[in-house]
Amino acid sequence: MKIIVLGADGYLGWPTSMDLANKGHQVIAVDNYSRRNIAMQTSSEGLMHTPNLEERAKIFEEVSGKKIDVRIGDLKNYRFLENMVKTFKPDAIVHYAEQPSAPYSLKGYEEAHYTLKNNLEVTHNVIWAVLEHAPDCHLVKLGTMGEYGTPNIDIEEGWLNIEHNGRKGKFLFPRAAGSLYHTTKVLDTDLLWFYVRTFGLRVTDLMQGPVYGLSTTESDMDERLLPNFHYDDIFGTVVNRFLVQAVAGVPLTVYGKGGQIRGYLNLKDTLQCVDLALNNVADKGELRIFNQLTETFTVNELAENVQKAGAALGLNVEVKSIPNPRKEAEEHYYNPKYTGLMDLGLKPNLMTTEVLGEMLKIIIKYKGNIDNEKIFPRVKWNK
Ligand SMILES: NC(=O)c1ccc[n+]([C@@H]2O[C@H](COP(=O)([O-])OP(=O)(O)OC[C@H]3O[C@@H](n4cnc5c(N)ncnc54)[C@H](O)[C@@H]3O)[C@@H](O)[C@H]2O)c1
């Protein structure tokens, strides 16, 4: 397939670009380095230095013999994106290119405005480029489980059948996001649904849980191909953050009571899910939604898992509850359905002590780079 990966320099975009190129697809990888710039502005740089996208593609070609075509540019610029879609005529676009940090989106007016503008404009531009120049192209868009929030009913895969006053209808599952970033993803889904039902686009919206992991088949070929790995309060996802805290010898910072339940998945499974979505194309006029997670944990359970994995390597890991900087339920019902991707063939790589241990071993190599100042929450919206 001819595939464009948007946000290809990101935590998920880079491993995805390599995975798809390795599988023999023709890949264009696009990014504007906005995450690197925000990370620099907010002192949230990753644990290890990662070469830029051009350099990464060169290293990947040296070790694998496979080519990734890199384009640097801002996807808010419609002409830049349009030109690429018009000339390349992709079979699929994988859209990761958003500002994905909840704390950053609530840091202040400028950050909130940037997040809203960036995320919605990029999604809207992608939709238009497809509509105008590749109407058959399959758009695989990364959404988030955070769109649903934590409702007191089971979470279906995107859609809900409702019976009301004796009549029945099928609606998008109600959304109640807990941050402005997550709200932009809700708005993305609404935009996609409008254009799908009006102009017959083919879209898969993947409601993904927090991802953890470092190693993939391709990054195992050369450590310079590792994804960017953040452990700070802005870009670090909770498992990655806990593992770095375990190595740094600082207590794992559980926000509040720690009863928050989320659905997690291994980076390797993100790659599998995207691959499965690409190989099982959504119909024309279909907004297909999958919940992309493989298991659920409370934050306390995660902390215990990391403690166990740390102990197996001789690390003495402490856990400490700190005031919750976020406005969120700390104890709640949570029962998301996630059978769609399993039905397509997803074979989960679960969060075993061994898997966490392997991550810890990589992090230990970079222990000297850990900056404890980056670990504690700097943005609060639970006023
Ligand atoms: N990582 C997770 O745990 C997780 C969980 C659920 C959903 N997601 C979603 O997956 C996607 C990727 O997440 P990630 O963790 O890889 O984030 P990331 O920030 O590492 O990657 C996003 C990339 O998009 C690029 N980008 C942003 N705006 C752009 C623009 N206007 N033009 C060009 N490039 C632009 C950034 O520079 C960055 O490299 C996001 O949409 C996020 O919402 C991620």
Side-chain angles (χ1 to χ4, degrees):
M1 276 186 252
K2 290 196 282 181
I3 304 174
I4 302 183
V5 179
L6 306 177
D9 187 50
Y11 174 52
L12 305 178
W14 174 239
T16 303
S17 302
M18 289 194 290
D19 179 60
L20 295 175
N22 219 6
K23 291 194 164 105
H25 300 297
Q26 204 180 324
V27 176
I28 294 187
V30 189
D31 209 288
N32 69 343
Y33 296 135
S34 54
R35 179 196 44 85
R36 289 182 190 253
N37 291 331
I38 294 174
M40 210 150 50
Q41 285 158 17
T42 57
S43 292
S44 306
E45 291 91 350
L47 180 64
M48 52 283 271
H49 164 77
T50 44
N52 71 30
L53 194 50
E54 303 265 8
E55 292 162 345
R56 287 172 144 179
K58 242 186 244 154
I59 299 166
F60 177 65
E61 193 175 345
E62 275 163 32
V63 299
S64 71
K66 302 276 170 44
K67 216 175 165 55
I68 293 176
D69 183 359
V70 170
R71 309 283 170 89
I72 301 302
D74 189 343
L75 294 158
K76 290 199 291 306
N77 175 350
Y78 183 63
R79 298 301 162 209
F80 164 67
L81 172 62
E82 180 194 33
N83 195 31
M84 218 156 29
V85 174
K86 199 162 148 183
T87 49
F88 187 61
K89 296 272 182 232
D91 299 299
I93 295 179
V94 182
H95 171 18
Y96 287 118
E98 304 220 340
Q99 189 303 97
S101 162
Y104 184 78
S105 75
L106 287 164
K107 197 167 181 280
Y109 173 79
E110 297 301 336
E111 293 83 357
H113 181 248
Y114 167 77
T115 303
L116 190 67
K117 186 172 151 68
N118 186 66
N119 294 2
L120 288 173
E121 273 190 25
V122 172
T123 298
H124 198 243
N125 284 350
V126 177
I127 290 170
W128 270 93
V130 168
L131 271 181
E132 294 201 307
H133 303 291
D136 237 10
C137 170
H138 181 199
L139 175 54
V140 177
K141 159 78 174 43
L142 264 290
T144 158
M145 286 300 290
E147 291 185 33
Y148 303 118
T150 52
N152 202 29
I153 60 171
D154 296 347
I155 300 175
E156 303 299 323
E157 296 207 58
W159 300 92
L160 184 65
N161 292 312
I162 293 184
E163 195 170 340
H164 181 62
N165 293 344
R167 300 183 65 80
K168 289 181 184 164
K170 188 178 167 191
F171 298 88
L172 280 173
F173 193 92
R175 263 85 171 148
S179 82
L180 179 71
Y181 149 64
H182 291 99
T183 301
T184 64
K185 307 295 268 192
V186 174
L187 298 170
D188 278 347
T189 299
D190 266 325
L191 275 180
L192 292 168
W193 177 214
F194 168 72
Y195 281 103
V196 163
R197 68 179 187 263
T198 308
F199 295 108
L201 294 182
R202 312 172 180 273
V203 178
T204 300
D205 201 349
L206 297 169
M207 300 299 155
Q208 182 174 243
V211 183
Y212 61 90
L214 266 166
S215 127
T216 67
T217 307
E218 291 74 27
S219 73
D220 289 349
M221 295 177 191
D222 188 313
E223 247 180 46
R224 292 171 300 168
L225 298 176
L226 282 170
N228 44 280
F229 185 79
H230 292 273
Y231 60 97
D232 60 277
D233 66 319
I234 304 270
F235 284 116
T237 52
V238 58
V239 185
N240 293 351
R241 206 167 58 221
F242 279 178
L243 289 165
V244 172
Q245 291 177 327
V247 171
V250 301
L252 313 189
T253 46
V254 168
Y255 294 170
K257 291 183 187 153
Q260 302 91 326
I261 309 172
R262 299 289 183 269
Y264 295 86
L265 79 162
N266 192 306
L267 176 58
K268 289 179 178 159
D269 292 343
T270 294
L271 302 185
Q272 270 195 76
C273 292
V274 168
D275 195 50
L276 286 167
L278 289 169
N279 285 312
N280 296 275
V281 181
D283 288 336
K284 256 185 120 44
E286 183 188 14
L287 172 60
R288 183 176 59 165
I289 301 178
F290 292 123
N291 292 344
Q292 186 165 308
L293 60 141
T294 58
E295 53 194 330
T296 60
F297 297 107
T298 64
V299 173
N300 286 329
E301 284 166 338
L302 280 181
E304 272 169 38
N305 291 349
V306 171
Q307 228 171 0
K308 250 187 248 159
L313 294 179
L315 300 172
N316 177 25
V317 182
E318 282 177 42
V319 179
K320 187 175 161 204
S321 164
I322 59 169
N324 194 342
R326 302 174 174 220
K327 195 162 174 67
E328 63 184 4
E330 291 174 6
E331 282 168 333
H332 56 87
Y333 180 78
Y334 198 65
N335 188 25
K337 305 281 173 63
Y338 47 99
T339 52
L341 287 158
M342 307 273 182
D343 291 345
L344 291 182
L346 172 64
K347 304 267 178 298
N349 290 279
L350 297 178
M351 196 191 294
T352 58
T353 309
E354 292 69 39
V355 165
L356 293 176
E358 288 308 311
M359 285 183 73
L360 283 170
K361 283 183 202 159
I362 301 179
I363 296 166
I364 287 168
K365 282 200 217 168
Y366 294 90
K367 185 176 176 182
N369 293 351
I370 301 174
D371 173 358
N372 289 356
E373 292 292 308
K374 291 180 180 169
I375 290 176
F376 298 96
R378 292 169 288 182
V379 182
K380 299 184 174 60
W381 64 95
N382 190 4
K383 308 250 184 209

